[in-house]
Amino acid sequence: MRRDRWIAITTVVCIVLLWQVAISANGLHAKVPSPLGIVAAIAAHVADGSLPSALRDSFLRVAKGFAIAALIGLPVGTAMGMTPILARAVAPFLDALRSIAPIAWIPIAVLWLGVRGDAAVFIVTYAAVLPLALSAHQAVRLIDQRLLQASHALGAGWFLTLRAVIIPGSIPVLITAVRVSMGFAWGAVIAAELAVGVKIGPGQGSQGIGQMMIETLYVRRDVDTLAMCMLCVGLVSLAIDAGARGLGRRLAPWKV
Amino acid sequence: MEGLIPRIAITSLGKTWQGRRGDVEALRDINLAIGPGEFVAVVGPSGCGKSTLLSVVAGFATPTSGKVLVDGLSVDGPSPERGVMFQDYALFPWRTVADNIGFGPLARGVKRAERLEITQRLVALVGLDGFQDRYPHELSGGMRQRCALARMLANDPAVWLMDEPLAALDPQTRIVMQDELLRIWGDERPADQRRAVLFVTHGIDEAVHLSDRVVVLARRPGRVRAVIEVDLPRPRSALRSSPEAARLVAEIWALIRDEAVDAIREENG
Ligand SMILES: Nc1ncnc2c1ncn2[C@@H]1O[C@H](COP(=O)(O)OP(=O)(O)OP(=O)(O)O)[C@@H](O)[C@H]1O
Ligand SMILES: [Mg+2]
């Protein structure tokens, strides 16, 4: 294991060095980012606070949109799992909606909510709510029938069965669903912020990392800053995934 | 049984499962009465409807014809008055041993202090002291089985419905648990302190060792082929492998053998 890690690190270091040398030798600075340029961009944008603030804005937007999605999607999906009639009524509608990609909603979101962050929150909610609802539905259906029978035979009504059997029994599936839909949500917020466009006046624009990218592209044309944004988008993705997995271990200690 | 009101009265019970590949008549015209303190075992070849019978009495499945009365009332749905124990135990994986055992009292709205008391008493009764805070996956098979038994007992149900509760245990643990089960049921106590038990098993010797009567089912459809009285004195633990028990086992095996062979042939295609 230890040796594998050293090989990986060495490889990465070599590639980064080669990359830097190639760009310095070629004078491609304007179109291709360079490692040193990215480091400089990070230093500058951390120093003036714009990078942390952009990341925070985007992240809060995802958190808000995701929370709304969870508040709608999880109860709807769970209810569908518990009442097959409801599932038969609602499932075709959800499946139809699922075929419309989140970014296809951007124009309508802008029409409804204007060129502000709210449009991006809407897109995030939309991106996350369907996978959450469908997974919650699936999670309930996957619960061992014996556990439900045991619960009823021990005298539990529907509420205790929901609280003590169905919800904990759904958690392992839901953790995976949260990880996946958080990924969708984070992807969607970048797309939405990109599309919502440049800050025109005070209170306008979306202020997130996607906004920073579009501004960099159209106003400052700085390729190193663009690469820095992409790097950060990736890192936040990894952090979200690790966080969701950690949460899963906390919430489901019976699953080792 | 004369003179006693049966705790469980099954009359002309029929059950047909409706499946995607047509209907399966699992039970036909079952008649059976079980007294308040009686231990009745059900044996029969694989697929003869033993689990179906238990499901109907438990209230998980509705009869297609006939009826099941428990204490004179028609069964409609599960009730804490009828405790159920499953072969694979169906313990709640996310609840500790104590919380599994305390689930029934919790469901019945028993106050916390009393719940704790019940749980503690049962933990001691089934010999799980020191394991209250473990999760089911941290227990051995025998301990899970004890936990499932304690969970069922926590409601002090008048009827115990048990579907092959010892089948998943290794042979030695199974023997220990048979005697443990008898002790908890009240093998050594007077009959009026015992509960009615409907006990499904594949083990004919187990059925003879534990029960007052053995119901032998035939398959396709499941019918009562014979009811064998087990007139061995209690307590039974000393009586393991008595000649009388061996004679009963042989008698029951003779009733099942041909069908059991058929069942195995069918299962293997
Ligand atoms: N929920 C169900 N839906 C449809 N068919 C069922 C269902 N449960 C059981 N059956 C069918 O009913 C018949 C009797 O099954 P049952 O499980 O009661 O037998 P069993 O005696 O318990 O068998 P085993 O000894 O293998 O446990 C079988 O043919 C089975 O396929
Ligand atoms: Mg069975």
Side-chain angles (χ1 to χ4, degrees):
Chain A
M1 286 320 281
R2 181 134 294 181
R3 212 172 113 232
D4 287 356
R5 182 173 299 173
W6 278 114
I7 292 174
I9 291 174
T10 316
T11 314
V12 170
V13 169
C14 286
I15 289 175
V16 169
L17 282 177
L18 276 176
W19 175 14
Q20 181 66 48
V21 169
I23 286 175
S24 308
N26 262 302
L28 279 170
H29 298 287
K31 293 267 159 121
V32 184
S34 76
L36 285 177
I38 295 174
V39 170
I42 293 176
H45 289 89
V46 169
D48 72 4
S50 58
L51 178 60
S53 136
L55 284 174
R56 196 199 56 220
D57 284 349
S58 291
F59 184 78
L60 286 180
R61 198 161 285 144
V62 167
K64 193 166 152 195
F66 193 84
I68 298 171
L71 283 176
I72 299 169
L74 296 180
V76 167
T78 307
M80 284 168 70
M82 289 174 73
T83 28
I85 296 178
L86 181 69
R88 273 200 290 276
V90 179
F93 175 69
L94 294 188
D95 280 334
L97 271 185
R98 198 164 54 147
S99 61
I100 304 171
I103 43 175
W105 283 86
I106 288 176
I108 286 226
V110 170
L111 184 69
W112 287 345
L113 298 163
V115 192
R116 280 178 298 124
D118 296 347
V121 173
F122 176 87
I123 299 301
V124 168
T125 304
Y126 176 82
V129 74
L130 292 177
L132 285 178
L134 294 169
S135 308
H137 179 203
Q138 188 63 12
V140 175
R141 291 203 300 176
L142 287 176
I143 290 173
D144 186 353
Q145 287 301 309
R146 304 251 160 184
L147 296 183
L148 298 175
Q149 292 183 337
S151 172
H152 292 132
L154 288 164
W158 74 268
F159 184 70
L160 181 61
T161 304
L162 173 68
R163 178 170 80 70
V165 182
I166 293 176
I167 289 176
S170 300
I171 282 180
V173 174
L174 290 185
I175 294 297
T176 313
V178 164
R179 282 173 60 189
V180 170
S181 45
M182 268 279 196
F184 288 166
W186 181 245
V189 84
I190 308 296
E193 288 172 353
L194 279 171
V196 163
V198 195
K199 184 158 44 184
I200 307 168
Q204 290 203 301
S206 64
Q207 316 273 341
I209 190 83
Q211 171 86 77
M212 184 177 235
M213 287 167 93
I214 206 96
E215 245 174 38
T216 310
L217 175 63
Y218 287 131
V219 182
R220 311 217 326 263
R221 304 205 132 259
D222 176 7
V223 70
D224 288 323
T225 305
L226 284 180
M228 169 199 81
C229 291
M230 290 165 66
L231 190 69
C232 290
V233 167
L235 289 177
V236 171
S237 255
L238 289 178
I240 286 176
D241 198 54
R245 237 183 310 176
L247 186 72
R249 272 195 296 273
R250 284 276 300 281
L251 285 178
W254 63 90
K255 283 252 163 189
V256 208
Chain B
M1 292 316 310
E2 296 85 38
L4 281 176
I5 320 151
R7 181 127 267 169
I8 307 175
I10 301 168
T11 32
S12 340
L13 174 68
K15 174 69 189 175
T16 301
W17 292 108
Q18 316 208 303
R20 236 167 282 163
R21 278 185 273 143
D23 295 354
V24 178
E25 188 179 11
L27 295 174
R28 178 188 289 177
D29 195 30
I30 306 285
N31 290 285
L32 188 64
I34 301 174
E38 200 183 9
F39 198 124
V40 171
V42 179
V43 299
S46 190
C48 70
K50 302 183 293 291
S51 298
T52 302
L53 178 64
L54 223 66
S55 292
V56 172
V57 179
F60 300 144
T62 48
T64 313
S65 59
K67 58 185 173 190
V68 177
L69 302 183
V70 173
D71 285 328
L73 294 174
S74 183
V75 166
D76 64 338
S79 145
E81 275 296 288
R82 277 165 277 131
V84 180
M85 200 170 149
F86 301 94
Q87 176 181 342
D88 46 13
Y89 314 139
L91 292 170
F92 303 120
W94 40 86
R95 294 177 89 84
T96 59
V97 166
D99 287 344
N100 263 284
I101 297 174
F103 189 86
L106 175 72
R108 288 182 298 124
V110 174
K111 291 270 173 307
R112 195 183 149 72
E114 194 185 336
R115 238 166 40 220
L116 239 82
E117 197 183 289
I118 295 174
T119 308
Q120 241 144 42
R121 184 169 53 74
L122 285 167
V123 162
L125 181 72
V126 299
L128 279 177
D129 313 76
F131 292 91
Q132 289 98 313
D133 299 327
R134 301 282 187 98
Y135 286 98
H137 76 261
E138 298 171 315
L139 303 178
S140 70
M143 287 155 91
R144 274 178 227 177
Q145 202 272 341
R146 288 162 192 270
C147 180
L149 179 63
R151 184 178 70 172
M152 180 190 84
L153 294 176
N155 277 338
D156 193 15
V159 171
W160 301 2
L161 304 172
M162 313 175 98
D163 194 352
E164 304 191 35
L166 309 181
L169 302 178
D170 65 84
Q172 281 148 41
T173 313
R174 180 153 63 235
I175 289 174
V176 172
M177 282 312 299
Q178 286 170 357
D179 291 332
E180 199 82 326
L181 179 63
L182 282 179
R183 174 182 65 82
I184 290 165
W185 172 67
D187 197 41
E188 295 157 12
R189 293 199 299 268
D192 61 354
Q193 291 179 20
R194 300 170 185 156
R195 301 298 188 213
V197 183
L198 189 57
F199 185 97
V200 168
T201 176
H202 266 127
I204 300 171
D205 47 351
E206 180 170 281
V208 169
H209 183 63
L210 298 176
S211 69
D212 299 314
R213 272 192 299 159
V214 180
V215 175
V216 183
L217 293 187
R219 63 198 281 276
R220 297 279 155 99
R223 287 147 297 149
V224 177
R225 156 161 289 195
V227 179
I228 313 283
E229 297 281 337
V230 182
D231 237 346
L232 306 174
R234 295 190 183 275
R236 294 259 178 91
S237 39
L239 252 81
R240 202 170 275 287
S241 69
S242 72
E244 174 66 355
R247 195 188 58 72
L248 286 169
V249 170
E251 182 184 337
I252 295 167
W253 176 233
L255 287 168
I256 299 179
R257 188 177 49 214
D258 293 347
E259 282 201 326
V261 171
D262 286 349
I264 290 164
R265 280 222 190 90
E266 267 175 43
E267 273 176 12
N268 295 342

